[in-house]
Amino acid sequence: MNKTIYMDNAATTATRPEVLEAMLPYFGQTFGNPSSIHGVGREARKAVEAARKQVADSIGAEAREVFFTAGGSESDNWAIRCACAAMAKKGKHIITSAIEHHAVLHTCQAMEKEGYRVTYLPVDEDGLVSVKDVEAAIADDTVLITIMTANNEIGTIQPIAEIGEVAKARGVLFHTDAVQAIGAIPVNVNDLKVDMLSMSGHKFHGPKGVGVLYIRKGVRISNLIHGGAQERGFRAGTENLPAIVGIGKAIELAVAELPEYAQRMTALRDRLIDGLTAAIPDIRLNGHRTKRLPANVNISIRYLEGESILMRLDLAGIEASSGSACTSGSLDPSHVLLAIGLPHEIAHGSLRLSLGMDNTPEEVETVISELPKIVKNLRAMSPLTPEHLR
Ligand SMILES: *Cc1c(COP(=O)(O)O)cnc(C)c1O
C-alpha cells in the first residue's frame, strides 16, 4: 500500500525522529527518579531542568515559570480552575470566547455549576474576537480572561497582545490556550502580555501526554495535584521523564525552524485553498484569510456531509478531519462553525485539512485533483444538490 497523505496535523503530529532519539535513553539506562539523590536520579533531574529551560527560552519565559503537565487539556483545566480558586475573594466572573477548545469551554461550564458567571464572547464571521467586546465585558468581579491564541478548527489567530494590554490595564488575569500556535507562529509571553499559557507536546511533533502551563511569576494559583514536591509542589507526581525531554527537544527544533516552516506551510496552504476553490463550485473558506495559522485549511462544501467526504478521502489514502477530532463521531455540528454564523447544513459539510512538516507540494496536488472528483461523485448522489451541479 502507498503511504497515506496525512493532513490532520491539528489533531496530532508524528513525533519527529530527533525527538524520539532524544527521549530513548530516558526509557533505558537514564531511568532515574528526578527526586532521588543518587547518580541516576541526578541525571534525570538534570534532563528535566534542561527541558524546562528549552521550553522557557522558546517562549521568552524564565525556567521557574514553566510547569510540566500531562497535556494541553490538563494545562487549560489547571489555569482556569486554580487561578479562579486563588482569586476567590475578588469575584466569580470569567470571560472567554464561544470558539474555545472543549478543554476550556467545558471547564468554564463546570465553573458555572460551581457558582461562577461566565461570559462567552461571540466572534465575527472570520472567527475573530473583538478587543472592545473583551474590554466591555470586564466587571469588578472578573477574575480571569481566557482566549485561545489560534483556533484548532478554522485557524484564526486572535489579537492576543491587544487583549493582554486590556487585561493588564484592568488588573485581570489573562490565560491563553496556545496549543495550536506553538511552532506555527511566534509566541512570546511578554509580547503577548499573558499571565498563563497552555501548550501540548504532540501538536508540534513532540510526544503525547505531556504539556506545559506557563505561569508568570507573581501570579497566584492554587496547586493542581497534592502530593510530593514536584513542580515546586504545584503538580505532584513523579515526572514523565522521557516525555518531558521530548517536549523540550520538540519546541527547541520547532522554534529554530519556525520562519522556514511557516513560509513553506503558507505556500502549501494557499495553493490548496486556491486549487480547491477553483476546482469545486459552491465551497467557502472558513476562518480569516490572512490572520490564519500557516498550515490550516477549513472549507465548507455545500450539499454534502463532512463525514461522507472524509470516508471517501480515507479510501483514497488522504487523512483529514471534519471538525475537531473530539467532536467527530458526534452528530452535532462544530460549535466553532456555528459561532462564525454558518447554518447547520453548511457547517455539517465542512472539512479540515491541516498540513504539517512532512507534507509535500506533490501531496497537495494529489488532494487538489482527488477531492473535486469525490465531491462531484457525492453531489451526484445527494438529494440536496441542485440540478446544475449534478
Ligand atoms: C489539542 C488541543 C488541546 C488539548 O491538548 P491535549 O494535549 O490533547 O490534551 C487543547 N487546546 C487546543 C487548541 C488543542 O488543539
Side-chain angles (χ1 to χ4, degrees), residues 248-303:
K249 184 72 182 173
I251 197 168
E252 184 179 78
L253 290 169
V255 169
E257 296 168 7
L258 180 57
E260 183 273 333
Y261 166 86
Q263 197 177 14
R264 198 157 59 82
M265 288 306 115
T266 303
L268 293 182
R269 176 195 76 187
D270 290 347
R271 169 67 189 132
L272 201 47
I273 292 172
D274 294 344
L276 294 176
T277 310
I280 306 173
D282 270 10
I283 69 170
R284 60 160 277 153
L285 178 70
N286 298 314
H288 198 281
R289 182 64 189 82
T290 53
K291 291 173 188 163
R292 181 179 200 97
L293 288 172
N296 174 288
V297 176
N298 187 309
I299 51 175
S300 287
I301 303 176
R302 281 195 81 162
Y303 319 117

Side-chain angles (χ1 to χ4, degrees), residues 276 279-281 301 304 309 312-313 316 318 365-381 389:
L276 294 176
I280 306 173
I301 303 176
L304 297 184
I309 307 168
R312 293 294 186 97
L313 280 173
I318 299 164
E365 294 311 318
T366 303
V367 173
I368 292 172
S369 76
E370 289 303 313
L371 184 55
K373 288 189 256 176
I374 290 170
V375 169
K376 199 165 172 30
N377 198 281
L378 286 172
R379 277 183 174 167
M381 300 189 307
L389 288 179

Side-chain angles (χ1 to χ4, degrees), residues 10 71-73 76 101 103 148 152 177 179-180 200 202-203:
S73 301
D76 287 342
H101 189 273
M148 69 200 320
N152 48 301
D177 173 338
V179 171
Q180 291 288 334
S200 171
H202 73 102
K203 300 293 175 76

Side-chain angles (χ1 to χ4, degrees), residues 63-273:
R64 54 183 284 211
E65 298 173 313
V66 169
F67 295 83
F68 292 112
T69 67
S73 301
E74 183 180 307
S75 297
D76 287 342
N77 274 257
W78 185 9
I80 296 166
R81 302 200 77 100
C82 300
C84 288
M87 299 290 289
K89 281 212 185 80
K90 188 186 174 197
K92 290 196 157 193
H93 178 228
I94 302 168
I95 298 170
T96 188
S97 85
I99 64 165
E100 298 296 308
H101 189 273
H102 283 143
V104 167
L105 278 185
H106 290 173
T107 305
C108 286
Q109 285 161 12
M111 298 300 282
E112 284 185 279
K113 293 212 177 81
E114 291 171 25
Y116 281 78
R117 187 161 59 83
V118 180
T119 302
Y120 299 91
L121 294 174
V123 293
D124 70 10
E125 70 272 17
D126 292 324
L128 280 170
V129 171
S130 140
V131 182
K132 282 206 175 70
D133 286 353
V134 175
E135 188 153 27
I138 298 174
D140 290 341
D141 61 343
T142 308
V143 286
L144 179 72
I145 299 169
T146 174
I147 308 272
M148 69 200 320
T149 311
N151 185 267
N152 48 301
E153 293 188 38
I154 57 174
T156 299
I157 299 168
Q158 302 298 343
I160 295 301
E162 285 96 311
I163 297 170
E165 189 73 55
V166 167
K168 208 168 152 197
R170 302 288 295 270
V172 178
L173 280 181
F174 181 33
H175 165 255
T176 191
D177 173 338
V179 171
Q180 291 288 334
I182 297 286
I185 58 172
V187 173
N188 176 298
V189 293
N190 298 316
D191 295 345
L192 295 181
K193 300 183 170 71
V194 294
D195 297 305
M196 294 179 284
L197 176 145
S198 301
M199 68 173 83
S200 171
H202 73 102
K203 300 293 175 76
F204 49 88
H205 298 280
K208 293 171 184 55
V210 64
V212 161
L213 181 63
Y214 156 81
I215 308 174
R216 187 177 291 281
K217 63 173 186 263
V219 167
R220 285 183 46 229
I221 181 166
S222 59
N223 49 349
L224 177 68
I225 299 179
H226 302 277
Q230 292 91 354
E231 302 304 297
R232 295 202 284 122
F234 282 101
R235 201 258 182 203
T238 302
E239 297 86 343
N240 185 352
L241 179 61
I244 287 172
V245 169
I247 197 174
K249 184 72 182 173
I251 197 168
E252 184 179 78
L253 290 169
V255 169
E257 296 168 7
L258 180 57
E260 183 273 333
Y261 166 86
Q263 197 177 14
R264 198 157 59 82
M265 288 306 115
T266 303
L268 293 182
R269 176 195 76 187
D270 290 347
R271 169 67 189 132
L272 201 47
I273 292 172

